[in-house]
C-alpha cells in the first residue's frame, strides 16, 4: 500500500476501536503524503449487526461528495463486505492472503462472504502458489503473488553492529522466530529443541494470540521477548545464528506462504522450516533453506547450520535468488494486471481527498502505460 500511494491516494481502513463514544466517527492518520490510516471509533457493547450498520454509515459519510467509481476497493478479508457491499467502486480487488476460513475462531459466515467477494471481484490475487492452485478455478482473473521483501530494510541486519538490550544480554547460540504465536505455531517442536539443546537459546518475538499462554514451554533457554515494531526487526535478526519457521502442518498452514522466509534470507540468516509447501518450493528446491520433517531432523538441521563456518557460497545463491524478489516488483506486476483489467472496464482514477494534495491519478498512469 505504501507503494500504491506513490501513484494514488490510499485509505487503509483498520479494525474499529471501541470506547465510550455515543456517536461513531472516523479518525485519519497521515503516514505518508498520500497514505491515510482510517480508524472507526464505536461504542462498547454493540452487537455484530450494530457494528456493521455503524461501519456502513461511516462509509456513507466518507463518500459524501465523492464518486465511488473513482475508487478501487481492495479487500484483505471478505468480512468487510458486510459493511461495504452497498457501494459499487470502479474496481474491486480481492487480495486473498490466506485460507482464512481454516483459522481458529473463523466466523461462520466467512465462507459465504468469500464466495460473494470472489463472484463480485474484478481481479483476485493470492498470497502464494499453493493458495492459487486451491482457488484458481473460482475466478477467471486470478494471479499468485508469493511473499516478497523490503530488501533495504531487512538487509540492514547484515551490517548491524549491536543487538537490542533485551537480546544482547543472552549468551550463546540464538535460534530465532518472529511472528504471531498462534494455533499454527508448533509448541511441542519448540519444547523438544529447547530440551535437547539447553545450550541453545530460542528467541521468540511476537504476540501470543488465540492460544493459552500457559501452554507455552517455559524452559530457561526459551526467551519470549514480546512484540517488536517492524523497524526493530533487523536489529534482532542481526544477533541470530539461525532463523526458523516452526509451523505445524494443519489446515491453517496448508496454503500459507510465510513472509518471514525471504526476510530471514535477506538478513543473511540460515533458515530451518517445517514442511510448508510454499517454503519447500521454491526455497528448499533451490537449496536455500533446510526442511525438517520431525523434531530430530529440525535439531540436526540447526546443528548443521551452526557448524557451517563458510556461508559465502550459500549467501551468493540467496542473493541471486532474491534479485527478482521485492515489493517494488510485486507492486509493478499488480499494477500491470490491474491495468489490463481496467481496459476491460471503465478507466478509474483515485483522487485525493480535500485533506491531501491533488497530484496525478491512475488514469494518467494508464495513459502512459
Amino acid at each position: 500500500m505504501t507503494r500504491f500511494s506513490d501513484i494514488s491516494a490510499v485509505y487503509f481502513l483498520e479494525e474499529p476501536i471501541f470506547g465510550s463514544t455515543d456517536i461513531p466517527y472516523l479518525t485519519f492518520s497521515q503516514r505518508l503524503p498520500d497514505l491515510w490510516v482510517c480508524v472507526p471509533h464505536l461504542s462498547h457493547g454493540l452487537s455484530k449487526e450494530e457494528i456493521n450498520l455503524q461501519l456502513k454509515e461511516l462509509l456513507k459519510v466518507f463518500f459524501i461528495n465523492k464518486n465511488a467509481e473513482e475508487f478501487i476497493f481492495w479487500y484483505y478479508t471478505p468480512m468487510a463486505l458486510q459493511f461495504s457491499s452497498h457501494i459499487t467502486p470502479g474496481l474491486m480487488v480481492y487480495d486473498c492472503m490466506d485460507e482464512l476460513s481454516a483459522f481458529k475462531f473463523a466466523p461462520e459466515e466467512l465462507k459465504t462472504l468469500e464466495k460473494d467477494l470472489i463472484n463480485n471481484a474484478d481481479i483476485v490475487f493470492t498470497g502464494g502458489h499453493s493458495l492459487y492452485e486451491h482457488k484458481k478455478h473460482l475466478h477467471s482473473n486470478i494471479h499468485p503473488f508469493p511473499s516478497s521483501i523490503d530488501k533495504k530494510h531487512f538487509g540492514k541486519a547484515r551490517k548491524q553492529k549491536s543487538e537490542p538490550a533485551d537480546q544482547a544480554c543472552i549468551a550463546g547460540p540464538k535460534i530465532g522466530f518472529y511472528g504471531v504465536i498462534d494455533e499454527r505455531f508448533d509448541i511441542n517442536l519448540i519444547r523438544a529443541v529447547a530440551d535437547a539443546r539447553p545450550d541453545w537459546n530460542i528467541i521468540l518475538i511476537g504476540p501470543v494470540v488465540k492460544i493459552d499462554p500457559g501452554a507455552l514451554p517455559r524452559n530457561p533457554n526459551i526467551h519470549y521477548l514480546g512484540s517488536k515494531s517492524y523497524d526493530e526487526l533487523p536489529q534482532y535478526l542481526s544477533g541470530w545464528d539461525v532463523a526458523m519457521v516452526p509451523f505445524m502442518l494443519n489446515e491453517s498452514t496448508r496454503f500459507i506462504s510465510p513472509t518471514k522466509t525471504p526476510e530471514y534470507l535477506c538478513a543473511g540468516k540460515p533458515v530451518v522450516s517445517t514442511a510448508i509447501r510454499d517454503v519447500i518450493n521454491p526455497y528448499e528446491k533451490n537449496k536455500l533453506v533446510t526442511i525438517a520433517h520431525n523434531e530430530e531432523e529440525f535439531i540436526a538441521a540447526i546443528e548443521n547450520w551452526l557448524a557451517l563456518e563458510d556461508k559465502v557460497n550459500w549467501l551468493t545463491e540467496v542473493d541471486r535468488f532474491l534479485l527478482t524478489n521485492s515489493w517494488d516488483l510485486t507492486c509493478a506486476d499488480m499494477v500491470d494486471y490491474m491495468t489490463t483489467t481496467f481496459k476491460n472496464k471503465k478507466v478509474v482514477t483515485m483522487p485525493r481527498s480535500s485533506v491531501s494534495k491533488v497530484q496525478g491519478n491512475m488514469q494518467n498512469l494508464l495513459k502512459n502505460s
Side-chain angles (χ1 to χ4, degrees):
M1 290 298 118
T2 63
R3 285 155 180 79
F4 283 132
S5 74
D6 289 336
I7 57 175
S8 69
V10 174
Y11 300 93
F12 193 100
L13 185 66
E14 290 197 336
E15 297 283 341
I17 291 177
F18 297 93
S20 57
T21 180
D22 293 328
I23 301 175
Y25 62 94
L26 279 173
T27 57
F28 296 82
S29 173
Q30 187 176 20
R31 303 300 174 84
L32 290 172
D34 282 307
L35 176 60
W36 300 82
V37 174
C38 314
V39 181
H41 293 258
L42 308 179
S43 175
H44 278 304
L46 298 176
S47 67
K48 192 185 308 183
E49 292 74 19
E50 290 171 329
I51 290 171
N52 286 321
L53 180 61
Q54 292 196 4
L55 290 174
K56 185 175 182 178
E57 292 303 314
L58 288 175
L59 272 187
K60 286 182 180 179
V61 173
F62 176 86
F63 276 98
I64 290 176
N65 297 325
K66 296 183 180 72
N67 183 358
E69 291 188 357
E70 294 181 331
F71 283 77
I72 292 173
F73 276 18
W74 185 288
Y75 287 87
Y76 282 114
T77 170
M79 301 302 291
L81 272 183
Q82 295 179 113
F83 56 82
S84 63
S85 61
H86 63 293
I87 300 175
T88 303
L91 194 80
M92 184 181 292
V93 179
Y94 177 27
D95 192 1
C96 182
M97 296 298 296
D98 285 299
E99 184 57 84
L100 297 176
S101 63
F103 281 36
K104 196 172 185 178
F105 305 129
E108 293 181 5
E109 62 269 35
L110 183 57
K111 287 186 177 181
T112 300
L113 287 168
E114 183 178 61
K115 183 178 179 180
D116 291 342
L117 180 54
I118 290 175
N119 287 339
N120 287 283
D122 299 296
I123 187 168
V124 178
F125 300 131
T126 66
H129 290 286
S130 295
L131 195 56
Y132 168 76
E133 292 297 326
H134 182 59
K135 300 279 188 183
K136 66 180 182 180
H137 67 287
L138 299 176
H139 202 279
S140 61
N141 190 17
I142 183 170
H143 311 276
F145 280 95
S147 298
S148 195
I149 46 173
D150 185 338
K151 290 182 181 176
K152 184 177 180 181
H153 181 67
F154 288 97
K156 295 175 185 176
R158 300 194 189 189
K159 302 176 182 178
Q160 187 75 27
K161 300 299 182 183
S162 60
E163 304 172 57
D166 58 347
Q167 182 174 284
C169 62
I170 301 171
K174 297 184 179 75
I175 320 301
F177 166 88
Y178 64 69
V180 178
I181 300 173
D182 58 14
E183 75 271 20
R184 298 170 297 176
F185 193 78
D186 195 333
I187 295 173
N188 292 327
L189 174 61
I190 295 300
R191 180 182 289 110
V193 174
D195 287 343
R197 295 304 301 265
D199 54 319
W200 294 352
N201 292 287
I202 311 300
I203 309 296
L204 301 177
I205 293 174
V208 178
V209 177
K210 294 190 288 184
I211 60 173
D212 178 11
L216 297 173
R218 296 294 173 178
N219 302 49
N221 59 332
I222 300 179
H223 307 272
Y224 297 93
L225 301 188
S227 297
K228 305 298 178 184
S229 71
Y230 181 76
D231 289 340
E232 293 176 294
L233 293 180
Q235 301 172 45
Y236 285 91
L237 271 168
S238 69
W240 297 358
D241 297 286
V242 178
M244 58 182 174
V245 184
F247 287 148
M248 292 190 290
L249 303 183
N250 56 30
E251 284 301 307
S252 62
T253 61
R254 184 180 173 191
F255 304 110
I256 64 172
S257 176
T259 307
K260 55 184 60 62
T261 309
E263 291 173 350
Y264 290 160
L265 292 173
C266 183
K269 301 303 172 183
V271 180
V272 178
S273 173
T274 52
I276 301 299
R277 290 167 60 186
D278 279 16
V279 179
I280 293 173
N281 185 14
Y283 299 105
E284 186 202 31
K285 181 179 178 181
N286 285 277
K287 300 180 180 179
L288 304 178
V289 309
T290 304
I291 296 295
H293 298 88
N294 53 49
E295 297 167 358
E296 292 75 18
E297 288 186 10
F298 207 91
I299 294 167
I302 294 172
E303 289 175 337
N304 290 337
W305 281 113
L306 290 175
L308 182 62
E309 296 182 2
D310 186 359
K311 299 182 177 68
V312 173
N313 291 336
W314 168 75
L315 271 176
T316 299
E317 292 304 312
V318 164
D319 291 340
R320 182 179 290 116
F321 178 83
L322 296 180
L323 195 62
T324 57
N325 190 334
S326 74
W327 286 118
D328 292 326
L329 293 174
T330 295
C331 181
D333 288 343
M334 285 179 164
V335 168
D336 284 344
Y337 283 123
M338 292 163 68
T339 300
T340 301
T341 305
F342 288 157
K343 289 178 180 178
N344 295 326
K345 291 175 62 71
K346 184 186 297 183
V347 174
V348 302
T349 62
M350 295 185 283
R352 278 66 174 155
S353 71
S354 59
V355 298
S356 181
K357 183 180 179 182
V358 177
Q359 52 177 9
N361 53 47
M362 184 63 82
Q363 189 173 35
N364 293 331
L365 177 69
L366 297 178
K367 287 179 180 179
N368 296 326
S369 63

